[in-house]
PDB file of all heavy atoms in Angstrom:
ATOM      1  N   VAL A   1     149.405  90.181 119.411  1.00  0.00           N
ATOM      2  CA  VAL A   1     148.223  90.387 120.229  1.00  0.00           C
ATOM      3  C   VAL A   1     147.243  91.258 119.463  1.00  0.00           C
ATOM      4  O   VAL A   1     147.647  92.085 118.636  1.00  0.00           O
ATOM      5  CB  VAL A   1     148.616  91.035 121.581  1.00  0.00           C
ATOM      6  CG1 VAL A   1     149.202  92.422 121.384  1.00  0.00           C
ATOM      7  CG2 VAL A   1     147.449  91.058 122.544  1.00  0.00           C
ATOM      8  N   GLN A   2     145.976  91.082 119.733  1.00  0.00           N
ATOM      9  CA  GLN A   2     144.961  91.917 119.100  1.00  0.00           C
ATOM     10  C   GLN A   2     144.883  93.276 119.802  1.00  0.00           C
ATOM     11  O   GLN A   2     145.209  93.398 120.990  1.00  0.00           O
ATOM     12  CB  GLN A   2     143.605  91.236 119.157  1.00  0.00           C
ATOM     13  CG  GLN A   2     143.468  90.052 118.218  1.00  0.00           C
ATOM     14  CD  GLN A   2     142.044  89.520 118.182  1.00  0.00           C
ATOM     15  OE1 GLN A   2     141.292  89.646 119.131  1.00  0.00           O
ATOM     16  NE2 GLN A   2     141.667  88.918 117.039  1.00  0.00           N
ATOM     17  N   ALA A   3     144.443  94.264 119.071  1.00  0.00           N
ATOM     18  CA  ALA A   3     144.255  95.586 119.663  1.00  0.00           C
ATOM     19  C   ALA A   3     143.328  95.472 120.882  1.00  0.00           C
ATOM     20  O   ALA A   3     142.325  94.760 120.857  1.00  0.00           O
ATOM     21  CB  ALA A   3     143.652  96.534 118.632  1.00  0.00           C
ATOM     22  N   GLY A   4     143.718  96.188 121.936  1.00  0.00           N
ATOM     23  CA  GLY A   4     142.979  96.105 123.181  1.00  0.00           C
ATOM     24  C   GLY A   4     143.507  95.058 124.138  1.00  0.00           C
ATOM     25  O   GLY A   4     143.113  95.030 125.314  1.00  0.00           O
ATOM     26  N   GLY A   5     144.384  94.214 123.664  1.00  0.00           N
ATOM     27  CA  GLY A   5     144.945  93.147 124.484  1.00  0.00           C
ATOM     28  C   GLY A   5     146.125  93.609 125.316  1.00  0.00           C
ATOM     29  O   GLY A   5     146.484  94.797 125.331  1.00  0.00           O
ATOM     30  N   SER A   6     146.739  92.649 126.006  1.00  0.00           N
ATOM     31  CA  SER A   6     147.831  92.946 126.929  1.00  0.00           C
ATOM     32  C   SER A   6     149.007  92.012 126.696  1.00  0.00           C
ATOM     33  O   SER A   6     148.833  90.875 126.237  1.00  0.00           O
ATOM     34  CB  SER A   6     147.365  92.781 128.385  1.00  0.00           C
ATOM     35  OG  SER A   6     146.326  93.673 128.700  1.00  0.00           O
ATOM     36  N   LEU A   7     150.183  92.516 127.012  1.00  0.00           N
ATOM     37  CA  LEU A   7     151.405  91.720 127.028  1.00  0.00           C
ATOM     38  C   LEU A   7     152.269  92.196 128.178  1.00  0.00           C
ATOM     39  O   LEU A   7     152.173  93.360 128.587  1.00  0.00           O
ATOM     40  CB  LEU A   7     152.186  91.870 125.720  1.00  0.00           C
ATOM     41  CG  LEU A   7     151.727  91.114 124.490  1.00  0.00           C
ATOM     42  CD1 LEU A   7     152.585  91.514 123.284  1.00  0.00           C
ATOM     43  CD2 LEU A   7     151.782  89.612 124.697  1.00  0.00           C
ATOM     44  N   ARG A   8     153.129  91.307 128.640  1.00  0.00           N
ATOM     45  CA  ARG A   8     154.086  91.666 129.677  1.00  0.00           C
ATOM     46  C   ARG A   8     155.486  91.312 129.200  1.00  0.00           C
ATOM     47  O   ARG A   8     155.771  90.150 128.904  1.00  0.00           O
ATOM     48  CB  ARG A   8     153.788  90.928 130.974  1.00  0.00           C
ATOM     49  CG  ARG A   8     154.618  91.404 132.168  1.00  0.00           C
ATOM     50  CD  ARG A   8     154.490  90.444 133.311  1.00  0.00           C
ATOM     51  NE  ARG A   8     155.002  90.984 134.567  1.00  0.00           N
ATOM     52  CZ  ARG A   8     155.472  90.224 135.552  1.00  0.00           C
ATOM     53  NH1 ARG A   8     155.501  88.922 135.424  1.00  0.00           N
ATOM     54  NH2 ARG A   8     155.900  90.791 136.674  1.00  0.00           N
ATOM     55  N   LEU A   9     156.326  92.316 129.123  1.00  0.00           N
ATOM     56  CA  LEU A   9     157.714  92.110 128.736  1.00  0.00           C
ATOM     57  C   LEU A   9     158.600  92.014 129.978  1.00  0.00           C
ATOM     58  O   LEU A   9     158.328  92.661 130.993  1.00  0.00           O
ATOM     59  CB  LEU A   9     158.210  93.256 127.860  1.00  0.00           C
ATOM     60  CG  LEU A   9     157.394  93.578 126.605  1.00  0.00           C
ATOM     61  CD1 LEU A   9     158.077  94.703 125.821  1.00  0.00           C
ATOM     62  CD2 LEU A   9     157.194  92.367 125.743  1.00  0.00           C
ATOM     63  N   SER A  10     159.651  91.218 129.854  1.00  0.00           N
ATOM     64  CA  SER A  10     160.633  91.086 130.931  1.00  0.00           C
ATOM     65  C   SER A  10     162.024  91.303 130.370  1.00  0.00           C
ATOM     66  O   SER A  10     162.295  90.967 129.212  1.00  0.00           O
ATOM     67  CB  SER A  10     160.563  89.697 131.571  1.00  0.00           C
ATOM     68  OG  SER A  10     159.292  89.449 132.117  1.00  0.00           O
ATOM     69  N   CYS A  11     162.906  91.830 131.196  1.00  0.00           N
ATOM     70  CA  CYS A  11     164.300  92.031 130.804  1.00  0.00           C
ATOM     71  C   CYS A  11     165.175  91.731 132.016  1.00  0.00           C
ATOM     72  O   CYS A  11     165.038  92.377 133.056  1.00  0.00           O
ATOM     73  CB  CYS A  11     164.533  93.459 130.329  1.00  0.00           C
ATOM     74  SG  CYS A  11     166.264  93.856 130.004  1.00  0.00           S
ATOM     75  N   VAL A  12     166.047  90.745 131.849  1.00  0.00           N
ATOM     76  CA  VAL A  12     166.953  90.348 132.923  1.00  0.00           C
ATOM     77  C   VAL A  12     168.348  90.884 132.635  1.00  0.00           C
ATOM     78  O   VAL A  12     168.873  90.677 131.532  1.00  0.00           O
ATOM     79  CB  VAL A  12     167.006  88.821 133.070  1.00  0.00           C
ATOM     80  CG1 VAL A  12     167.936  88.436 134.205  1.00  0.00           C
ATOM     81  CG2 VAL A  12     165.614  88.264 133.305  1.00  0.00           C
ATOM     82  N   ALA A  13     168.928  91.559 133.600  1.00  0.00           N
ATOM     83  CA  ALA A  13     170.276  92.103 133.470  1.00  0.00           C
ATOM     84  C   ALA A  13     171.269  91.231 134.229  1.00  0.00           C
ATOM     85  O   ALA A  13     170.964  90.693 135.293  1.00  0.00           O
ATOM     86  CB  ALA A  13     170.326  93.526 134.011  1.00  0.00           C
ATOM     87  N   SER A  14     172.461  91.111 133.659  1.00  0.00           N
ATOM     88  CA  SER A  14     173.532  90.379 134.332  1.00  0.00           C
ATOM     89  C   SER A  14     174.859  91.030 133.976  1.00  0.00           C
ATOM     90  O   SER A  14     174.967  91.766 132.997  1.00  0.00           O
ATOM     91  CB  SER A  14     173.538  88.906 133.921  1.00  0.00           C
ATOM     92  OG  SER A  14     173.753  88.767 132.534  1.00  0.00           O
ATOM     93  N   GLY A  15     175.875  90.761 134.795  1.00  0.00           N
ATOM     94  CA  GLY A  15     177.187  91.317 134.537  1.00  0.00           C
ATOM     95  C   GLY A  15     177.591  92.340 135.586  1.00  0.00           C
ATOM     96  O   GLY A  15     177.292  92.188 136.759  1.00  0.00           O
ATOM     97  N   SER A  16     178.226  93.407 135.136  1.00  0.00           N
ATOM     98  CA  SER A  16     178.781  94.430 136.035  1.00  0.00           C
ATOM     99  C   SER A  16     177.702  95.436 136.435  1.00  0.00           C
ATOM    100  O   SER A  16     177.716  96.586 136.021  1.00  0.00           O
ATOM    101  CB  SER A  16     179.959  95.127 135.361  1.00  0.00           C
ATOM    102  OG  SER A  16     180.960  94.216 135.008  1.00  0.00           O
ATOM    103  N   ILE A  17     176.786  94.959 137.247  1.00  0.00           N
ATOM    104  CA  ILE A  17     175.647  95.787 137.648  1.00  0.00           C
ATOM    105  C   ILE A  17     175.971  96.490 138.958  1.00  0.00           C
ATOM    106  O   ILE A  17     176.313  95.850 139.940  1.00  0.00           O
ATOM    107  CB  ILE A  17     174.393  94.912 137.818  1.00  0.00           C
ATOM    108  CG1 ILE A  17     174.063  94.231 136.491  1.00  0.00           C
ATOM    109  CG2 ILE A  17     173.221  95.768 138.284  1.00  0.00           C
ATOM    110  CD1 ILE A  17     172.978  93.194 136.612  1.00  0.00           C
ATOM    111  N   PHE A  18     175.858  97.801 138.950  1.00  0.00           N
ATOM    112  CA  PHE A  18     176.058  98.576 140.155  1.00  0.00           C
ATOM    113  C   PHE A  18     174.715  99.022 140.693  1.00  0.00           C
ATOM    114  O   PHE A  18     173.717  99.034 139.993  1.00  0.00           O
ATOM    115  CB  PHE A  18     176.972  99.775 139.875  1.00  0.00           C
ATOM    116  CG  PHE A  18     178.344  99.375 139.435  1.00  0.00           C
ATOM    117  CD1 PHE A  18     178.664  99.326 138.085  1.00  0.00           C
ATOM    118  CD2 PHE A  18     179.311  99.037 140.356  1.00  0.00           C
ATOM    119  CE1 PHE A  18     179.931  98.950 137.668  1.00  0.00           C
ATOM    120  CE2 PHE A  18     180.575  98.663 139.948  1.00  0.00           C
ATOM    121  CZ  PHE A  18     180.884  98.629 138.603  1.00  0.00           C
ATOM    122  N   SER A  19     174.694  99.419 141.931  1.00  0.00           N
ATOM    123  CA  SER A  19     173.423  99.691 142.599  1.00  0.00           C
ATOM    124  C   SER A  19     172.700 100.894 142.008  1.00  0.00           C
ATOM    125  O   SER A  19     171.479 100.919 141.956  1.00  0.00           O
ATOM    126  CB  SER A  19     173.636  99.897 144.091  1.00  0.00           C
ATOM    127  OG  SER A  19     174.540 100.973 144.306  1.00  0.00           O
ATOM    128  N   ILE A  20     173.443 101.909 141.551  1.00  0.00           N
ATOM    129  CA  ILE A  20     172.803 103.106 141.007  1.00  0.00           C
ATOM    130  C   ILE A  20     172.718 102.970 139.496  1.00  0.00           C
ATOM    131  O   ILE A  20     173.720 102.995 138.800  1.00  0.00           O
ATOM    132  CB  ILE A  20     173.581 104.366 141.400  1.00  0.00           C
ATOM    133  CG1 ILE A  20     173.635 104.495 142.921  1.00  0.00           C
ATOM    134  CG2 ILE A  20     172.929 105.602 140.788  1.00  0.00           C
ATOM    135  CD1 ILE A  20     174.475 105.639 143.408  1.00  0.00           C
ATOM    136  N   ASN A  21     171.509 102.798 138.996  1.00  0.00           N
ATOM    137  CA  ASN A  21     171.318 102.627 137.563  1.00  0.00           C
ATOM    138  C   ASN A  21     169.864 102.873 137.208  1.00  0.00           C
ATOM    139  O   ASN A  21     169.022 103.036 138.085  1.00  0.00           O
ATOM    140  CB  ASN A  21     171.729 101.211 137.137  1.00  0.00           C
ATOM    141  CG  ASN A  21     170.930 100.143 137.854  1.00  0.00           C
ATOM    142  OD1 ASN A  21     169.756  99.929 137.551  1.00  0.00           O
ATOM    143  ND2 ASN A  21     171.554  99.464 138.791  1.00  0.00           N
ATOM    144  N   ALA A  22     169.598 102.904 135.941  1.00  0.00           N
ATOM    145  CA  ALA A  22     168.227 103.000 135.453  1.00  0.00           C
ATOM    146  C   ALA A  22     168.026 101.907 134.410  1.00  0.00           C
ATOM    147  O   ALA A  22     168.942 101.591 133.645  1.00  0.00           O
ATOM    148  CB  ALA A  22     167.965 104.369 134.850  1.00  0.00           C
ATOM    149  N   MET A  23     166.859 101.347 134.408  1.00  0.00           N
ATOM    150  CA  MET A  23     166.501 100.368 133.379  1.00  0.00           C
ATOM    151  C   MET A  23     165.230 100.842 132.691  1.00  0.00           C
ATOM    152  O   MET A  23     164.383 101.487 133.318  1.00  0.00           O
ATOM    153  CB  MET A  23     166.278  98.987 133.988  1.00  0.00           C
ATOM    154  CG  MET A  23     167.538  98.385 134.572  1.00  0.00           C
ATOM    155  SD  MET A  23     167.285  96.695 135.171  1.00  0.00           S
ATOM    156  CE  MET A  23     167.137  95.796 133.628  1.00  0.00           C
ATOM    157  N   GLY A  24     165.126 100.537 131.433  1.00  0.00           N
ATOM    158  CA  GLY A  24     163.947 101.016 130.732  1.00  0.00           C
ATOM    159  C   GLY A  24     163.698 100.308 129.425  1.00  0.00           C
ATOM    160  O   GLY A  24     164.446  99.405 129.028  1.00  0.00           O
ATOM    161  N   TRP A  25     162.638 100.737 128.783  1.00  0.00           N
ATOM    162  CA  TRP A  25     162.214 100.187 127.501  1.00  0.00           C
ATOM    163  C   TRP A  25     162.078 101.309 126.485  1.00  0.00           C
ATOM    164  O   TRP A  25     161.528 102.370 126.784  1.00  0.00           O
ATOM    165  CB  TRP A  25     160.871  99.476 127.646  1.00  0.00           C
ATOM    166  CG  TRP A  25     160.929  98.251 128.490  1.00  0.00           C
ATOM    167  CD1 TRP A  25     160.690  98.158 129.831  1.00  0.00           C
ATOM    168  CD2 TRP A  25     161.243  96.927 128.057  1.00  0.00           C
ATOM    169  NE1 TRP A  25     160.841  96.873 130.258  1.00  0.00           N
ATOM    170  CE2 TRP A  25     161.183  96.086 129.174  1.00  0.00           C
ATOM    171  CE3 TRP A  25     161.575  96.370 126.818  1.00  0.00           C
ATOM    172  CZ2 TRP A  25     161.442  94.725 129.101  1.00  0.00           C
ATOM    173  CZ3 TRP A  25     161.828  95.010 126.741  1.00  0.00           C
ATOM    174  CH2 TRP A  25     161.763  94.200 127.879  1.00  0.00           C
ATOM    175  N   TYR A  26     162.574 101.037 125.307  1.00  0.00           N
ATOM    176  CA  TYR A  26     162.407 101.912 124.165  1.00  0.00           C
ATOM    177  C   TYR A  26     161.843 101.054 123.034  1.00  0.00           C
ATOM    178  O   TYR A  26     161.966  99.832 123.057  1.00  0.00           O
ATOM    179  CB  TYR A  26     163.743 102.519 123.736  1.00  0.00           C
ATOM    180  CG  TYR A  26     164.322 103.486 124.748  1.00  0.00           C
ATOM    181  CD1 TYR A  26     164.913 103.015 125.919  1.00  0.00           C
ATOM    182  CD2 TYR A  26     164.283 104.862 124.532  1.00  0.00           C
ATOM    183  CE1 TYR A  26     165.442 103.899 126.859  1.00  0.00           C
ATOM    184  CE2 TYR A  26     164.810 105.745 125.458  1.00  0.00           C
ATOM    185  CZ  TYR A  26     165.385 105.255 126.612  1.00  0.00           C
ATOM    186  OH  TYR A  26     165.899 106.138 127.529  1.00  0.00           O
ATOM    187  N   ARG A  27     161.244 101.699 122.056  1.00  0.00           N
ATOM    188  CA  ARG A  27     160.724 100.941 120.919  1.00  0.00           C
ATOM    189  C   ARG A  27     161.023 101.661 119.628  1.00  0.00           C
ATOM    190  O   ARG A  27     161.162 102.878 119.590  1.00  0.00           O
ATOM    191  CB  ARG A  27     159.215 100.709 121.056  1.00  0.00           C
ATOM    192  CG  ARG A  27     158.359 101.964 120.971  1.00  0.00           C
ATOM    193  CD  ARG A  27     156.902 101.636 121.268  1.00  0.00           C
ATOM    194  NE  ARG A  27     156.056 102.829 121.166  1.00  0.00           N
ATOM    195  CZ  ARG A  27     154.779 102.862 121.524  1.00  0.00           C
ATOM    196  NH1 ARG A  27     154.191 101.776 122.007  1.00  0.00           N
ATOM    197  NH2 ARG A  27     154.086 103.975 121.392  1.00  0.00           N
ATOM    198  N   ARG A  28     161.130 100.840 118.585  1.00  0.00           N
ATOM    199  CA  ARG A  28     161.346 101.386 117.254  1.00  0.00           C
ATOM    200  C   ARG A  28     160.371 100.713 116.304  1.00  0.00           C
ATOM    201  O   ARG A  28     160.448  99.503 116.086  1.00  0.00           O
ATOM    202  CB  ARG A  28     162.778 101.180 116.789  1.00  0.00           C
ATOM    203  CG  ARG A  28     163.014 101.627 115.350  1.00  0.00           C
ATOM    204  CD  ARG A  28     164.478 101.618 115.003  1.00  0.00           C
ATOM    205  NE  ARG A  28     165.173 102.772 115.577  1.00  0.00           N
ATOM    206  CZ  ARG A  28     166.494 102.900 115.619  1.00  0.00           C
ATOM    207  NH1 ARG A  28     167.260 101.955 115.149  1.00  0.00           N
ATOM    208  NH2 ARG A  28     167.038 103.970 116.134  1.00  0.00           N
ATOM    209  N   ALA A  29     159.484 101.518 115.761  1.00  0.00           N
ATOM    210  CA  ALA A  29     158.528 101.022 114.781  1.00  0.00           C
ATOM    211  C   ALA A  29     159.121 101.190 113.383  1.00  0.00           C
ATOM    212  O   ALA A  29     160.001 102.042 113.181  1.00  0.00           O
ATOM    213  CB  ALA A  29     157.221 101.797 114.894  1.00  0.00           C
ATOM    214  N   PRO A  30     158.662 100.408 112.419  1.00  0.00           N
ATOM    215  CA  PRO A  30     159.185 100.512 111.054  1.00  0.00           C
ATOM    216  C   PRO A  30     159.065 101.938 110.519  1.00  0.00           C
ATOM    217  O   PRO A  30     157.988 102.543 110.596  1.00  0.00           O
ATOM    218  CB  PRO A  30     158.292  99.553 110.269  1.00  0.00           C
ATOM    219  CG  PRO A  30     157.834  98.560 111.277  1.00  0.00           C
ATOM    220  CD  PRO A  30     157.674  99.323 112.556  1.00  0.00           C
ATOM    221  N   GLY A  31     160.167 102.475 110.031  1.00  0.00           N
ATOM    222  CA  GLY A  31     160.159 103.805 109.438  1.00  0.00           C
ATOM    223  C   GLY A  31     160.127 104.949 110.428  1.00  0.00           C
ATOM    224  O   GLY A  31     160.016 106.114 110.038  1.00  0.00           O
ATOM    225  N   LYS A  32     160.243 104.636 111.713  1.00  0.00           N
ATOM    226  CA  LYS A  32     160.187 105.686 112.723  1.00  0.00           C
ATOM    227  C   LYS A  32     161.445 105.660 113.586  1.00  0.00           C
ATOM    228  O   LYS A  32     162.169 104.676 113.627  1.00  0.00           O
ATOM    229  CB  LYS A  32     158.947 105.509 113.604  1.00  0.00           C
ATOM    230  CG  LYS A  32     157.630 105.673 112.867  1.00  0.00           C
ATOM    231  CD  LYS A  32     156.466 105.602 113.827  1.00  0.00           C
ATOM    232  CE  LYS A  32     155.149 105.815 113.108  1.00  0.00           C
ATOM    233  NZ  LYS A  32     153.985 105.763 114.052  1.00  0.00           N
ATOM    234  N   GLN A  33     161.667 106.760 114.272  1.00  0.00           N
ATOM    235  CA  GLN A  33     162.798 106.833 115.191  1.00  0.00           C
ATOM    236  C   GLN A  33     162.481 106.103 116.487  1.00  0.00           C
ATOM    237  O   GLN A  33     161.317 105.921 116.845  1.00  0.00           O
ATOM    238  CB  GLN A  33     163.137 108.297 115.489  1.00  0.00           C
ATOM    239  CG  GLN A  33     163.717 109.046 114.314  1.00  0.00           C
ATOM    240  CD  GLN A  33     164.172 110.447 114.686  1.00  0.00           C
ATOM    241  OE1 GLN A  33     163.661 111.036 115.637  1.00  0.00           O
ATOM    242  NE2 GLN A  33     165.144 110.970 113.967  1.00  0.00           N
ATOM    243  N   ARG A  34     163.541 105.707 117.167  1.00  0.00           N
ATOM    244  CA  ARG A  34     163.377 105.065 118.472  1.00  0.00           C
ATOM    245  C   ARG A  34     162.747 106.061 119.453  1.00  0.00           C
ATOM    246  O   ARG A  34     163.105 107.241 119.469  1.00  0.00           O
ATOM    247  CB  ARG A  34     164.734 104.614 118.996  1.00  0.00           C
ATOM    248  CG  ARG A  34     164.684 103.849 120.302  1.00  0.00           C
ATOM    249  CD  ARG A  34     166.053 103.321 120.653  1.00  0.00           C
ATOM    250  NE  ARG A  34     167.009 104.391 120.866  1.00  0.00           N
ATOM    251  CZ  ARG A  34     168.330 104.234 120.817  1.00  0.00           C
ATOM    252  NH1 ARG A  34     168.835 103.033 120.568  1.00  0.00           N
ATOM    253  NH2 ARG A  34     169.133 105.253 121.037  1.00  0.00           N
ATOM    254  N   GLU A  35     161.825 105.575 120.253  1.00  0.00           N
ATOM    255  CA  GLU A  35     161.178 106.444 121.216  1.00  0.00           C
ATOM    256  C   GLU A  35     161.155 105.793 122.594  1.00  0.00           C
ATOM    257  O   GLU A  35     161.133 104.569 122.735  1.00  0.00           O
ATOM    258  CB  GLU A  35     159.745 106.785 120.790  1.00  0.00           C
ATOM    259  CG  GLU A  35     158.779 105.623 120.778  1.00  0.00           C
ATOM    260  CD  GLU A  35     157.327 106.045 120.598  1.00  0.00           C
ATOM    261  OE1 GLU A  35     156.993 107.202 120.921  1.00  0.00           O
ATOM    262  OE2 GLU A  35     156.527 105.201 120.163  1.00  0.00           O
ATOM    263  N   LEU A  36     161.154 106.652 123.593  1.00  0.00           N
ATOM    264  CA  LEU A  36     161.060 106.188 124.968  1.00  0.00           C
ATOM    265  C   LEU A  36     159.680 105.596 125.231  1.00  0.00           C
ATOM    266  O   LEU A  36     158.657 106.193 124.888  1.00  0.00           O
ATOM    267  CB  LEU A  36     161.301 107.358 125.929  1.00  0.00           C
ATOM    268  CG  LEU A  36     160.949 107.099 127.395  1.00  0.00           C
ATOM    269  CD1 LEU A  36     161.939 106.130 128.009  1.00  0.00           C
ATOM    270  CD2 LEU A  36     160.894 108.405 128.165  1.00  0.00           C
ATOM    271  N   VAL A  37     159.672 104.438 125.868  1.00  0.00           N
ATOM    272  CA  VAL A  37     158.417 103.863 126.357  1.00  0.00           C
ATOM    273  C   VAL A  37     158.301 104.149 127.855  1.00  0.00           C
ATOM    274  O   VAL A  37     157.371 104.785 128.315  1.00  0.00           O
ATOM    275  CB  VAL A  37     158.339 102.354 126.083  1.00  0.00           C
ATOM    276  CG1 VAL A  37     157.047 101.786 126.647  1.00  0.00           C
ATOM    277  CG2 VAL A  37     158.448 102.071 124.590  1.00  0.00           C
TER     278      VAL A  37
END
């Protein structure tokens, strides 16, 4: 995408899912540590 644009990410979970949980996104750029999004 070009700078200023938009994207929508999706993540589907399956398996042993319990009601109390957290879901989230992290990212890792080249040469950098993983960071919370």
Side-chain angles (χ1 to χ4, degrees):
V1 64
Q2 288 187 333
S6 298
L7 282 175
R8 189 193 193 207
L9 305 183
S10 300
C11 173
V12 181
S14 61
S16 302
I17 299 171
F18 297 96
S19 58
I20 300 175
N21 59 74
M23 294 185 72
W25 293 93
Y26 293 75
R27 67 186 181 188
R28 175 171 283 168
K32 295 185 178 181
Q33 291 186 334
R34 184 174 63 200
E35 66 170 336
L36 168 70
V37 178

